[in-house]
Amino acid sequence: GGTPSATFAPVTHAAPMTSLDNAMDGVELRAWADRVVKGLDGVVPRFVAELKIDGLALSLRYEHGVLVQAATRGDGRVGEDVTANVRTIQDVPERLTGEHVPEVIEVRGEVYMPTDVFAALNVDYVAAGERPLVNPRNAAAGSLRQKDPAMTAKRRLSFWAYQLGQVIGGPALATHRETLDLIGAIGFPINPEVRSIDTIDDVAEYCLYRQDHRHDLGYEIDGVVIKVDDLAQQELLGFTSRAPRWAIAYKFPPEERTTLLRDIQVSVGRTGRTTPFAVLEPVFVGGSTVSMATLHNQDQVAIKDVRPGDTVIVRKAGDVIPEVVGPVLENRPPGTEPWQFPTICPCALRSTLVRLEGEADTRCVEPACPFQRDQKIMY
């Protein structure tokens, strides 16, 4: 998602590419199912569960069976024309086959980079003295938006199809499962882990199973998407201002790892605000290697009571920002003391740090502080 780039021509989607509401646990998942049943006047629907591929959403438009346009999701209404690059992806057919190819059909799906391709590319990058790719999701997004389609081709991207957009002249379909069968029959790859499930309890059990086995696959996933199977029921439930009421994404919790907290240091921002951060023994978590993580402010360090020398739990908040969850107390070395927030700025001027009453932040109030100067220039 995001604002379309000026590098690629804008594409207005014939049918909007909406986002999904999230369920973070079984309670929220069942609450969504209760709302669905209420919206269907007490009728309990059948569900389809699909893996939530960690990649980049794509819409493919075919007219008379021929690929005419490929567009990113963008802001859901307007995306970017990446047709030339998408033609290099082997999983995307140039021409559709089968008996029931509609006059016009938009197929939505996810572009992703398989984990073995990601690993092989990073070996090549390191050997060439270049910075390695951070994670498969970012690598897929960056690969699809290359100016040169030849560069996209070298990245060996893949594609799973999972939904229809605009369709003109297609066969009558009654369920989402039938939609997937049609998409597969005309030439698209459908993820083999799609499941039809009768009850929300079985859906919740499947989500937990996939959470435990997320790394058994040859690609990254970050959740499970659950949809009401019956298309007439989908139409009855409709949409909110931003998402369908008939679908939800069960999001996996952030991955956590343990590592050594080497030190706690303080950075100084352009306004003088000081932020403590953890210097860590590098650890791979959430798709990248983390060696530093925020500790937010003085109070958070005190609440978490993390100390240099501790074994700490690290995760990525929202799967993006590294943070320290807390210490593993049974591994704490004997004789350590609680970390004390410094009273002197770490810059060469050694000015006093000040925390005003009622504020969470501690600040360097010396205008000539070189750290503030540098951060202002960068800003």
Side-chain angles (χ1 to χ4, degrees), residues 37-331:
V37 172
K38 184 177 180 180
L40 296 175
D41 294 327
V43 176
V44 178
R46 198 171 195 224
F47 303 98
V48 173
E50 307 170 17
L51 301 186
K52 188 173 183 297
I53 311 300
D54 203 6
L56 185 74
L58 189 71
S59 181
L60 305 171
R61 183 178 179 88
Y62 291 78
E63 296 178 0
H64 305 290
V66 178
L67 176 64
V68 296
Q69 191 173 71
T72 62
R73 179 182 178 275
D75 62 6
R77 186 182 64 86
V78 178
E80 299 161 340
D81 189 329
V82 289
T83 310
N85 292 357
V86 167
R87 291 186 192 278
T88 70
I89 301 174
Q90 291 188 0
D91 288 341
V92 175
E94 186 74 25
R95 183 180 294 273
L96 303 181
T97 58
E99 300 177 6
H100 303 291
V101 177
E103 178 184 342
V104 174
I105 185 171
E106 285 183 353
V107 175
R108 272 80 188 270
E110 199 84 3
V111 173
Y112 68 97
M113 180 175 286
T115 49
D116 60 342
V117 172
F118 174 76
L121 283 173
N122 268 347
V123 169
D124 294 341
Y125 273 56
V126 172
E130 298 181 33
R131 179 180 297 179
L133 302 169
V134 175
N135 57 52
R137 175 181 55 192
N138 290 356
S143 301
L144 192 64
R145 301 170 84 241
Q146 293 285 325
K147 293 181 179 180
D148 182 3
M151 289 299 297
T152 303
K154 291 180 180 179
R155 299 289 181 87
R156 291 175 283 162
L157 299 176
S158 295
F159 179 77
W160 294 120
Y162 55 64
Q163 192 77 38
L164 288 179
Q166 185 184 44
V167 179
I168 298 175
L173 300 169
T175 66
H176 179 63
R177 186 77 230 200
E178 289 180 10
T179 298
L180 295 177
D181 291 341
L182 170 66
I183 294 172
I186 60 178
F188 291 93
I190 303 297
N191 190 280
E193 304 301 329
V194 175
R195 297 288 184 270
S196 296
I197 303 178
D198 290 325
T199 71
I200 197 63
D201 288 338
D202 288 341
V203 169
E205 184 177 337
Y206 179 73
C207 290
L208 291 176
Y209 172 81
R210 277 298 160 200
Q211 183 175 311
D212 292 339
H213 295 270
R214 64 188 295 184
H215 296 303
D216 294 351
L217 304 162
Y219 44 89
E220 295 287 339
I221 62 173
D222 60 354
V224 177
V225 176
I226 302 97
K227 301 173 183 175
V228 171
D229 189 28
D230 188 284
L231 298 184
Q233 291 177 336
Q234 287 187 11
E235 186 172 354
L236 182 63
L237 290 165
F239 292 78
T240 67
S241 60
R242 57 178 294 276
R245 293 189 179 94
W246 44 264
I248 198 163
Y250 179 94
K251 294 278 287 185
F252 295 156
E255 287 189 278
E256 296 182 345
R257 295 287 186 270
T258 57
T259 190
L260 175 67
L261 174 59
R262 291 176 171 175
D263 195 10
I264 299 176
Q265 297 180 9
V266 172
S267 65
V268 182
R270 65 184 177 88
T271 64
R273 184 175 69 179
T274 57
T275 304
F277 64 92
V279 180
L280 305 167
E281 186 76 29
V283 60
F284 190 83
V285 57
S288 64
T289 300
V290 171
S291 59
M292 290 189 293
T294 182
L295 289 167
H296 301 292
N297 56 46
Q298 181 177 351
D299 291 341
Q300 284 297 308
V301 180
I303 291 169
K304 294 178 179 179
D305 188 24
V306 288
R307 309 175 184 182
D310 276 347
T311 298
V312 293
I313 301 167
V314 180
R315 71 181 181 191
K316 286 190 175 179
D319 282 339
V320 177
I321 302 171
E323 69 172 355
V324 174
V325 179
V328 182
L329 292 177
E330 57 266 31
N331 292 347

Side-chain angles (χ1 to χ4, degrees), residues 342-345 347 349-355 362-366:
T343 58
I344 301 297
C345 181
C347 76
L349 298 180
R350 307 289 291 168
S351 53
T352 301
L353 299 180
V354 177
R355 180 177 179 178
T362 303
R363 296 181 182 274
C364 171
V365 295
E366 171 55 64

